[in-house]
């Protein structure tokens, strides 16, 4: 039993969840360990996800997407991440960072080119805010874009870009007017096939190893003015607005990881015997399962609630920052809690690469770090609650 009965799931929601579940279990789960080991990008399955409409779920059909709502997106992402969090990361960035930004801020020409290509899954989108010396303090970036006639000349180094090595388009945030700090940041849609762009160091990661992550290098990259997203100086606002949506994606990814780790633990606790009984009969294990299940259902409520808040915002224009940050904070800490317990319940087998449990443990950790660490979520939530800074 899950708590999803509390939410208004339509036939369409149930259908996309089932389609994602079938695809994830039949086509992603069997290859997840192999791609985790090699660290290769799973081009084939990501392409198929594009064909199934999973790479631009909320984008209207006229721009190449599936034209569904945020709850549909969350349900599908949860199922994909349950099979493999790497596929979940790629899907999340494509949908809720790249596509959502263009949906909100792009002009018609940008929607008909970059958005259409990325939402349909023909091209891959990435989001690039972080730099080596600017992570949580996102307003302090060193990369620069200088206007030169009808172009901007961009120089600098970005880091930790999910899908960076394979992206066709990157939503880049860079400084056009350093004196203005936050208000001097501008967003650009970068075509990565143009000169001046190159992929830097590939990050050797603990988890989500099949999702390519790298630095990006800009050396006199010339971005035409028509590839600027929004106005000069609007970049920080765009970055933050879009991260509100991205954090719902990470909450869904974390929920999927937690569910996978929990189900493995439940089965193991029923089957594995020690001292003449199933280990699930020992209170030490049983109570752990109870805590895991309770936290998962609480995460689900927060995550689906954030999805509904985002859906509402499409009409009201109201921010859903609080709902999104709470969902991300709680779900990611739940994923880590559940995966940690899952390894312990499995004992030696939890530590072995013969089972996926150790992968869930490694994959869970990133959800507490990227798209705003747990500390940043606590800062966002407490500032909104107290009204203080
Ligand atoms: N929506 C819209 N606007 C927002 C906003 C939001 N959620 N949050 C802040 N803003 C606006 C503020 O209203 C303010 O605007 P004005 O100056 O016009 O009044 C402006 O942004 C500055 O806000 P703050 O003063 O609150 O900014 P701050 O410097 O204190 O930073 C922060 C706030 C919450 C710490 C922010 O910097 C933050 O979220 N940091 C974490 C960044 C992050 O998540 N990075 C991950 C990058 S993506 C990634 O992980 C890689 C990947 O590929 C997935």
């Amino acid at each position: 039993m899950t708590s999803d009965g509390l939410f208004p799931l339509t036939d369409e929601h149930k259908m996309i969840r089932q389609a994602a579940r079938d695809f994830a279990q039949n086509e992603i789960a069997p290859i997840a360990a192999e791609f985790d080991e090699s660290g290769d990008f799973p081009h084939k399955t990501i392409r198929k996800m594009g064909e199934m409409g999973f790479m631009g779920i909320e984008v209207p059909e006229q721009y190449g997407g599936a034209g569904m709502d945020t709850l549909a997106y969350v349900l599908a992402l949860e199922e994909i991440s349950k099979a493999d969090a790497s596929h979940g990361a790629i899907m999340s960035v494509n949908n809720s960072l790249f596509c959502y930004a263009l949906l909100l801020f792009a002009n018609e020409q940008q929607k008909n080119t970059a958005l259409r290509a990325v939402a349909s899954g023909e091209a891959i989108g990435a989001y690039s805010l972080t730099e080596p010396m600017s992570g949580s303090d996102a307003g302090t970036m060193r990369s620069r874009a200088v206007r030169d006639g009808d172009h901007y000349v961009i120089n600098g180094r970005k880091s930790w870009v999910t899908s960076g090595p394979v992206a066709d388009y990157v939503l880049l945030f860079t400084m056009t007017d350093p004196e203005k700090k936050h208000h001097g940041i501008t967003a650009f849609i970068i075509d990565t096939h143009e000169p001046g762009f190159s992929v830097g160091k590939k990050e050797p990661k603990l988890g989500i190893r099949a999702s390519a992550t790298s630095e990006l290098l800009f050396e006199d990259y010339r971005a035409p003015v028509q590839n600027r997203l929004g106005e000069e100086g609007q970049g920080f606002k765009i970055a933050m607005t879009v991260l509100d949506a991205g954090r719902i994606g990470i909450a869904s990814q974390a929920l999927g990881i937690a569910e996978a780790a929990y189900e493995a633990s439940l089965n193991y606790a029923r089957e594995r015997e020690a001292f003449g009984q199933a280990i699930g009969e020992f209170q030490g294990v049983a109570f752990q399962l109870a805590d895991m299940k309770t936290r998962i259902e609480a995460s689900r409520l927060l995550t689906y609630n954030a999805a509904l808040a985002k859906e509402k915002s499409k009409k009201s224009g109201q921010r859903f920052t609080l709902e999104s940050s709470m969902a991300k904070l709680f779900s990611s800490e739940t994923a880590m809690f559940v995966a940690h317990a899952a390894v312990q319940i499995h004992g030696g087998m939890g530590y072995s690469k013969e089972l996926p449990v150790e992968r869930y443990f490694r994959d869970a950790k990133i959800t507490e770090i990227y798209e705003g660490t747990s500390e940043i979520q606590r800062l966002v939530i407490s500032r909104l609650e107290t009204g203080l800074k």
Side-chain angles (χ1 to χ4, degrees), residues 136 162 182-183 236 240 244 247 370-372 383 389:
S136 292
T162 303
H182 291 116
H183 293 117
F236 194 75
M240 291 299 118
D244 284 347
R247 288 166 183 166
Y370 63 6
E371 300 204 22
R383 276 184 183 175
K389 195 163 167 187

Side-chain angles (χ1 to χ4, degrees), residues 115-155:
L115 177 59
R116 177 185 297 283
V118 173
S120 65
E122 280 162 29
I124 291 176
Y127 172 101
S128 178
L129 177 68
T130 305
E131 296 188 359
M133 294 304 290
S134 153
S136 292
D137 189 4
T140 54
M141 56 187 61
R142 293 183 181 180
S143 64
R144 299 282 183 266
V146 178
R147 181 84 184 242
D148 177 23
D150 55 4
H151 282 75
Y152 288 85
V153 181
I154 302 177
N155 280 287

Side-chain angles (χ1 to χ4, degrees), residues 28-29 32 35-36 42 79-89 210 359 363:
I28 298 178
F35 278 82
D36 170 61
E79 292 299 332
I80 298 292
S81 304
K82 194 170 165 181
D84 179 35
S86 290
H87 282 76
R359 174 162 56 86
D363 287 349

Side-chain angles (χ1 to χ4, degrees), residues 240-256:
M240 291 299 118
T241 304
V242 172
L243 274 174
D244 284 347
R247 288 166 183 166
I248 301 177
I250 304 309
S252 317
Q253 182 198 28
L255 182 58

